[in-house]
Amino acid sequence: MKIVTMYLPQFHRVAENDAWWGEGFTEWVAVRNARSLYEGHEQPKEPLNDNYYDLLNEETMKWQSELMHKYGIYGQCFYHYYFKDGRKILEKPAENLLKWKYIDMAFCLCWANESWARSWSNLTEKNVWSSRGEDEQERTKNPSGILMEQKYGGETEWKAHYEYLRPFFQDSRYIRIEGKPVFLIFQPSLIPCLQQMLQYWTKMAETDGLDGVYFISVNSFEIPGFQAYLYHEPQYTLMHNYPRENVNADKKIRRYAKYADVWNKIISRSGPESKRKLIQGGFTGYDDTPRRGTGGSVIGQAAPQIFQQMLSKLLKKNEDMGNEIIFLNAWNEWGEGMYLEPDLKDGYAYLEAVQYALMHYKEEHVEIFYNTEVKNLAESEKLVERYRCYWRVLHQWMLLKERNCNIGEYLYRKGIRKVAIYGLGMLGLHLVKELEDSSVEIIYGIDRAAEAMHQSFPVVIPGEMIGMVDAVIVTPVYAFDEIYTVLRKVYQGEILSLMELVTDAE
């Protein structure tokens, strides 16, 4: 399975935003100005190391690309803002990526085809960036409230739009399904000429030597002409499962839901009766009060551990549905509390959760079928024993930490300078971090999900060995005997259980 994350390009200055929202406005302005609205409300969100970046900075996109690869994110889906008469906004990050060929970032585009407007505009479908930034003076100056109007025109306008998209579609990094460039449309129901336009673009793509375009409809499932239909979360679930006016007097906000509850609704959704290809999306978190204030929505009690468990289920569910790709909301929606980028509170925990879920979602304890249950008593006992082993290791490891002991120092004293790590799941990744600052070098890793690994060292599948090491450390301690037997066929050196290390390393 491949994870593509939604990518917001609203992190650089443009003249329009300066005029509408104030000099120097970017998404960071709303994020910095956010305030806690009730007890326990986690605002403002703060990026790790005060990384309030500018997306026009080449080093920023390089850093994002490296972070993606390290934690297993396959690609980014840039929001594409294209309006009446070919007006564009926030287009520079994607255009720059097109120029910076060396940045290894797979990508696609999602056409956010709503008009931009103030909250008082009578448009029924609109993007309101910051209702908190509106005042009576602006209402007097612009009574219509329309900032960027969306009109679709005819073949002349469709041709101009496609010609703008062409170099993106033809880029070798552009994401494809069935050989076709992927293009999402956020509000297809707003396009009166939709079928004609899609057919016109398909013909243009075929003339360009492509197999067509892989059109994906977002949260609209009854409209023909698309190759796939995406549940865009958590918006779909909030819209259909929670009242619009779910006012909580204690929290003083418009709508509140619990993180685990929303995720459970996503995982249990069976989808409409249809032969059409459906993609079930997921999300990291949600809190749009930086943009909406007390009129906002919060999905509270989020935690990386819950995210990891639910993402594992989501990956398995999509695989069972025949999908090769899922869309996760989001990479950097800081103003809506949806992001994977490291923050001050959780650091890299959500990225680590993605990495772990990708490696382990196929394991037998990840059961989907919309009602999770252990199939029989033997399987239940096996699962309990596995987690009991994890608990023992972590307990012993914490005792080591409390005595200021370090596994790396212990290995070095034993004359072990170079190691391989078997199993790069939860315990394995913690071991990697502990050894990073020690005198012990990790030469390679061994894991069944080697292809999904993005580490600073090579990772091979069990049965393959590369390089010379002083010892192999096995982190799945519950299966040590079985793994030992497999390793002995290809390696005659020292094989250590992580349990042995955390018990003896004093």
Side-chain angles (χ1 to χ4, degrees):
M1 289 297 301
K2 298 174 181 176
I3 294 178
V4 175
T5 50
M6 306 306 294
Y7 185 100
L8 180 69
Q10 175 94 302
F11 294 92
H12 65 94
R13 287 183 61 177
V14 297
E16 293 89 344
N17 278 341
D18 283 350
W20 298 330
W21 312 110
E23 192 75 14
F25 179 86
T26 71
E27 188 77 354
W28 292 127
V29 173
V31 174
R32 287 178 186 268
N33 291 340
R35 295 292 179 266
S36 177
L37 300 178
Y38 55 86
E39 185 177 355
H41 187 202
E42 296 177 355
Q43 285 291 355
K45 307 291 186 183
E46 300 176 77
L48 189 64
N49 301 321
D50 289 328
N51 188 19
Y52 295 96
Y53 54 70
D54 184 335
L55 280 184
L56 300 187
N57 186 328
E58 191 171 347
E59 288 301 312
T60 294
M61 296 193 79
K62 180 182 176 184
W63 166 76
Q64 291 176 328
S65 172
E66 291 170 349
L67 207 59
M68 289 167 53
H69 284 284
K70 181 175 182 180
Y71 291 99
I73 301 298
Y74 175 70
Q76 302 288 7
C77 183
F78 284 67
Y79 283 110
H80 166 64
Y81 302 100
Y82 190 100
F83 299 90
K84 176 184 175 182
D85 299 327
R87 286 189 68 189
K88 298 179 291 294
I89 192 169
L90 304 179
E91 75 280 8
K92 291 303 179 186
E95 289 181 358
N96 284 341
L97 181 61
L98 209 56
K99 293 189 301 184
W100 299 332
K101 300 292 186 185
Y102 80 96
I103 295 182
D104 186 12
M105 182 184 287
F107 70 100
C108 62
L109 300 175
C110 174
W111 185 14
N113 59 305
E114 302 164 305
S115 295
W116 284 18
R118 301 290 190 180
S119 61
W120 63 76
S121 167
N122 60 9
L123 293 176
T124 56
E125 298 288 348
K126 59 197 173 190
N127 188 337
V128 179
W129 275 110
S130 180
S131 57
R132 300 180 73 178
E134 298 174 343
D135 55 31
E136 191 59 35
Q137 183 179 359
E138 174 60 29
R139 182 191 287 264
T140 302
K141 185 170 64 175
N142 180 11
S144 76
I146 299 174
L147 302 174
M148 298 277 277
E149 187 178 12
Q150 186 61 270
K151 296 289 184 182
Y152 303 96
E155 290 189 1
T156 300
E157 289 75 20
W158 308 340
K159 182 175 186 290
H161 192 174
Y162 179 86
E163 288 176 343
Y164 175 77
L165 295 171
R166 177 185 285 127
F168 296 98
F169 289 171
Q170 293 179 335
D171 190 279
S172 62
R173 297 164 295 175
Y174 199 90
I175 296 169
R176 289 171 171 77
I177 297 178
E178 298 175 1
K180 303 173 183 178
V182 170
F183 189 73
L184 283 68
I185 299 182
F186 199 75
Q187 291 276 15
S189 61
L190 300 181
I191 307 176
C193 54
L194 178 68
Q195 299 305 319
Q196 300 96 313
M197 187 178 67
L198 297 186
Q199 292 169 12
Y200 187 85
W201 282 359
T202 297
K203 290 179 181 178
M204 290 194 72
E206 291 171 347
T207 301
D208 285 342
L210 300 171
D211 293 330
V213 180
Y214 198 93
F215 294 112
I216 298 179
S217 170
V218 176
N219 285 347
S220 295
F221 304 96
E222 304 304 323
I223 302 175
F226 290 89
Q227 281 67 43
Y229 298 80
L230 170 66
Y231 285 104
H232 187 67
E233 299 291 357
Q235 284 79 359
Y236 185 87
T237 296
L238 287 177
M239 186 189 316
H240 290 83
N241 294 97
Y242 293 88
R244 184 64 180 166
E245 297 293 342
N246 179 24
V247 177
N248 186 308
D250 295 332
K251 293 183 170 54
K252 301 182 177 67
I253 56 174
R254 189 175 190 179
R255 181 167 49 187
Y256 181 87
K258 291 182 180 179
Y259 190 69
D261 291 347
V262 175
W263 261 110
N264 279 322
K265 286 179 172 59
I266 291 170
I267 296 301
S268 63
R269 182 174 293 114
S270 59
E273 292 295 328
S274 172
K275 293 183 179 179
R276 296 171 179 173
K277 189 174 184 66
L278 300 173
I279 301 172
Q280 175 62 72
F283 73 109
T284 56
Y286 195 81
D287 180 349
D288 66 5
T289 59
R291 294 182 185 166
R292 316 287 182 226
T294 55
S297 300
V298 175
I299 299 178
Q301 303 178 32
Q305 297 86 348
I306 299 174
F307 174 66
Q308 176 184 298
Q309 295 166 6
M310 296 301 184
L311 181 59
S312 294
K313 294 180 179 182
L314 183 71
L315 290 166
K316 183 65 167 62
K317 178 178 180 179
N318 274 278
E319 186 172 86
D320 291 345
M321 293 165 68
N323 298 326
E324 62 185 66
I325 195 169
I326 70 165
F327 291 87
L328 194 61
N329 214 2
W331 176 261
N332 63 343
E333 281 270 13
W334 287 84
E336 293 190 345
M338 292 188 295
Y339 54 86
L340 283 174
E341 291 177 328
D343 71 359
L344 189 62
K345 177 180 178 288
D346 293 304
Y348 293 83
Y350 280 85
L351 283 166
E352 290 169 350
V354 170
Q355 186 179 52
Y356 186 86
L358 281 167
M359 291 187 292
H360 296 280
Y361 76 91
K362 292 186 179 182
E363 291 183 0
E364 60 191 355
H365 66 277
V366 180
E367 299 287 344
I368 295 302
F369 308 115
Y370 311 120
N371 287 305
T372 303
E373 60 181 354
V374 181
K375 293 180 180 177
N376 52 56
L377 181 60
E379 191 173 303
S380 176
E381 291 174 347
K382 184 178 179 180
L383 182 59
V384 169
E385 180 57 30
R386 175 180 297 187
Y387 284 104
R388 185 180 289 122
C389 288
Y390 286 157
W391 178 84
R392 289 173 186 150
V393 171
L394 289 172
H395 176 65
Q396 289 297 130
W397 209 336
M398 289 302 297
L399 291 176
L400 274 186
K401 293 290 187 184
E402 290 167 5
R403 294 194 288 269
N404 295 317
C405 298
N406 183 279
I407 292 175
E409 294 172 357
Y410 172 71
L411 291 170
Y412 193 84
R413 291 198 305 270
K414 284 174 60 72
I416 296 173
R417 306 289 190 269
K418 297 181 178 182
V419 301
I421 298 177
Y422 188 109
L424 291 169
M426 177 183 67
L427 295 179
L429 293 175
H430 283 303
L431 181 60
V432 169
K433 285 187 177 295
E434 177 142 333
L435 296 183
E436 279 178 349
D437 298 324
S438 75
S439 300
V440 176
E441 182 182 3
I442 303 172
I443 303 301
Y444 62 98
I446 307 169
D447 198 286
R448 288 179 296 173
E451 291 185 0
M453 300 291 179
H454 298 280
Q455 295 290 341
S456 58
F457 48 82
V459 183
V460 301
I461 61 173
E464 294 183 2
M465 301 292 286
I466 58 173
M468 298 295 294
V469 295
D470 300 319
V472 176
I473 302 172
V474 177
T475 66
V477 294
Y478 61 90
F480 178 76
D481 292 341
E482 177 185 341
I483 293 169
Y484 183 93
T485 302
V486 173
L487 285 173
R488 266 290 168 255
K489 296 177 181 178
V490 293
Y491 174 72
Q492 298 305 312
E494 193 163 7
I495 302 174
L496 303 172
S497 166
L498 181 59
M499 175 64 84
E500 177 185 346
L501 291 182
V502 298
T503 302
D504 297 343
E506 294 189 33

